Amino acid sequence: QVQLVESGGGLVQAGGSLRLSCAASGSIFSMNDMGWFRQAPGKQRELVAGIQSGGNTRYADSVKGRFTISKDNAKNTVYLQMNSLKPEDTAVYYCNYRIPYASSWLAPWGQGTQVTVSS
């Protein structure tokens, strides 16, 4: 079973930056899609950024131009660079993976990492 562990969250002022990391227990990034999700209190979990096995990226409209997803296959780690943070970015952030073109994400949801942005 693949396990993913998120880290890098924290408390920042609006306009600040954070870099999140997601470390995998196995070498899965080279052949699977990876995604960063977030869930704010009282809201549904949403996909904010994805990176395909070949390296192509996609972003939710709410974070385009501010967030960047990247990965290091050799280190089995995916990153989310978050710049120009806004209070509405406050959420628990999670990562997961899926087979290309599949609809379901495969790893158990982990602890996530808390991001809090103050105004």
Side-chain angles (χ1 to χ4, degrees), residues 38-56:
R38 67 186 181 189
Q39 187 167 25
K43 296 184 178 180
Q44 302 273 45
R45 183 170 54 237
E46 62 174 337
L47 178 67
V48 298
I51 184 165
Q52 297 176 358
S53 59
N56 293 330

Side-chain angles (χ1 to χ4, degrees), residues 4-57:
L4 304 173
V5 179
E6 303 92 345
S7 63
L11 173 63
V12 298
Q13 290 269 25
S17 297
L18 285 172
R19 183 179 176 90
L20 307 184
S21 297
C22 172
S25 60
S27 300
I28 62 169
F29 293 173
S30 64
M31 290 177 279
N32 293 283
D33 298 343
M34 301 297 302
W36 279 100
F37 300 77
R38 67 186 181 189
Q39 187 167 25
K43 296 184 178 180
Q44 302 273 45
R45 183 170 54 237
E46 62 174 337
L47 178 67
V48 298
I51 184 165
Q52 297 176 358
S53 59
N56 293 330
T57 59

Side-chain angles (χ1 to χ4, degrees), residues 20-111:
L20 307 184
S21 297
C22 172
S25 60
S27 300
I28 62 169
F29 293 173
S30 64
M31 290 177 279
N32 293 283
D33 298 343
M34 301 297 302
W36 279 100
F37 300 77
R38 67 186 181 189
Q39 187 167 25
K43 296 184 178 180
Q44 302 273 45
R45 183 170 54 237
E46 62 174 337
L47 178 67
V48 298
I51 184 165
Q52 297 176 358
S53 59
N56 293 330
T57 59
R58 310 197 86 173
Y59 301 92
D61 288 342
S62 59
V63 306
K64 283 182 180 177
R66 301 188 298 119
F67 291 10
T68 303
I69 186 171
S70 62
K71 64 176 181 176
D72 186 331
N73 291 339
K75 294 182 178 180
N76 299 321
T77 303
V78 62
Y79 306 96
L80 185 67
Q81 178 67 47
M82 306 186 296
N83 299 325
S84 302
L85 283 162
K86 304 174 180 179
E88 52 261 45
D89 295 319
T90 295
V92 178
Y93 284 71
Y94 304 88
C95 63
N96 213 320
Y97 78 100
R98 71 179 182 186
I99 298 170
Y101 307 108
S103 60
S104 61
W105 297 86
L106 300 179
W109 296 105
Q111 309 160 251

